[in-house]
């Protein structure tokens, strides 16, 4: 998957799930008192990111940043 394709999923607020090394990860969207967020991580252990930049700078899959992982995905 290309980074542009993944950004499209984020912009359209599409939920996304994948498995990597036997661990399920998912991406969902929500809204709380701080605003809209992207929730990403292992199922039931998600972190919230309040912008695309924050997500790209902090989201991880195992020991790799998601931005590096997506190129191999």
């Amino acid at each position: 998957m290309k980074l542009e394709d993944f950004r499209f999923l984020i912009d359209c607020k599409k939920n996304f799930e994948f498995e990597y090394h036997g661990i399920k990860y998912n991406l969902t969207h929500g809204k709380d008192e701080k605003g809209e967020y992207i929730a990403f991580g292992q199922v039931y252990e998600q972190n919230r990111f309040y912008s695309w930049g924050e997500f790209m700078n902090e989201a991880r899959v195992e020991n790799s940043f998601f931005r590096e992982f997506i190129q191999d995905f």
Side-chain angles (χ1 to χ4, degrees):
M1 178 180 288
K2 293 182 181 179
L3 187 58
E4 296 83 21
D5 298 332
F6 186 75
R7 176 69 190 255
F8 179 76
L9 292 174
I10 297 285
D11 290 343
C12 293
K13 295 184 173 46
K14 298 284 185 184
N15 294 338
F16 184 71
E17 187 174 292
F18 64 94
E19 189 171 321
Y20 184 69
H21 289 163
I23 299 172
K24 288 188 180 184
Y25 292 85
N26 65 9
L27 180 136
T28 59
H29 303 271
K31 188 173 184 177
D32 64 11
E33 64 278 349
K34 291 183 180 179
E36 293 185 9
Y37 62 83
I38 302 164
F40 176 76
Q42 294 180 26
V43 177
Y44 306 114
E45 295 180 12
Q46 296 179 326
N47 294 313
R48 292 181 179 180
F49 305 97
Y50 290 90
S51 70
W52 170 254
E54 181 182 10
F55 176 75
M56 284 286 103
N57 288 326
E58 297 179 19
R60 291 182 171 267
V61 174
E62 291 188 349
N63 294 326
S64 299
F65 285 107
F66 186 80
R67 66 179 180 263
E68 297 163 354
F69 169 81
I70 191 75
Q71 296 170 1
D72 297 331
F73 185 60

